[in-house]
Amino acid sequence: MKPTQQELQLSLIEASKQLSTQTVMFHQAVAAHLGLNITDHKCMDLILSKGRVTAGQLAEWTGLTTGAITSVLNRLEKAGFIRRAKDPGDLRVVYAEPVYSQLHAIKEVFAPLNDAMLDLYSKYDQDQLETILDYILHSNQILRGLIEQLRKTTKE
């Protein structure tokens, strides 16, 4: 017997919770493997996605204090993953930027995940992949909105 729409929705909520937990646990394991903590690791991910960032930008995106971000950047710099570079147009601005030649450890740890996910994606046709992508993009949009809402109502 086929599950009802409501049963499928409840199963999706439960599966999404499990995926979220497994994702956090994976990134915690990656961070530990790299000698980082999970906050450092995810900040590194933000730096890689943007190319270079300021401490203020990282603080804004993560909701962490600038002091906490300075500690993150110190650890990432000590590990060799980033360098700090002054903006030639405004020497007051300092960017954190990846040291691409030192990222082989990160690439190595993610290679099996990339391979496994490409293998998984190959099991779906074009329409299914478009649906999965749509789901992920909309999920990210919902999460960004909820993060913003929570930050506005969080007591300091």
Side-chain angles (χ1 to χ4, degrees):
M1 187 162 121
K2 231 177 155 177
T4 66
Q5 179 84 359
Q6 184 178 21
E7 289 169 335
L8 277 173
Q9 289 173 348
L10 292 173
S11 293
L12 275 168
I13 288 172
E14 185 57 35
S16 292
K17 284 186 210 175
Q18 291 174 17
L19 178 60
S20 174
T21 299
Q22 291 306 310
T23 300
V24 170
M25 300 312 241
F26 175 76
H27 286 285
Q28 177 60 44
V30 166
H33 180 79
L34 296 171
L36 303 172
N37 66 47
I38 196 164
T39 301
D40 300 344
H41 166 53
K42 294 317 292 177
C43 284
M44 184 68 210
D45 192 36
L46 288 169
I47 294 167
L48 284 169
S49 72
K50 302 297 181 184
R52 68 179 192 170
V53 302
T54 65
Q57 287 172 317
L58 277 177
E60 181 182 333
W61 297 332
T62 63
L64 297 171
T65 66
T66 53
I69 291 297
T70 297
S71 295
V72 167
L73 294 177
N74 289 343
R75 289 188 296 271
L76 290 172
E77 188 172 43
K78 183 178 177 184
F81 293 129
I82 66 152
R83 71 173 142 255
R84 288 178 167 109
K86 291 190 177 196
D87 183 331
D90 184 349
L91 297 179
R92 296 169 296 171
V93 178
V94 177
Y95 289 100
E97 53 189 36
V99 178
Y100 291 101
S101 63
Q102 298 300 312
L103 301 181
H104 53 276
I106 294 174
K107 290 176 186 173
E108 282 178 10
V109 77
F110 278 100
L113 175 62
N114 288 340
D115 292 346
M117 294 310 293
L118 287 172
D119 184 54
L120 176 62
Y121 301 152
S122 72
K123 296 176 182 359
Y124 297 95
D125 66 30
Q126 181 78 19
D127 287 342
Q128 291 170 317
L129 288 172
E130 288 175 7
T131 299
I132 293 167
L133 179 59
D134 180 72
Y135 167 81
I136 291 171
L137 293 174
H138 281 92
S139 294
N140 285 333
Q141 186 177 12
I142 289 167
L143 287 168
R144 279 191 297 274
L146 291 171
I147 289 166
E148 188 176 315
Q149 190 176 359
L150 283 169
R151 286 184 179 159
K152 285 180 183 174
T153 60
T154 299
K155 296 177 183 166
E156 307 223 358

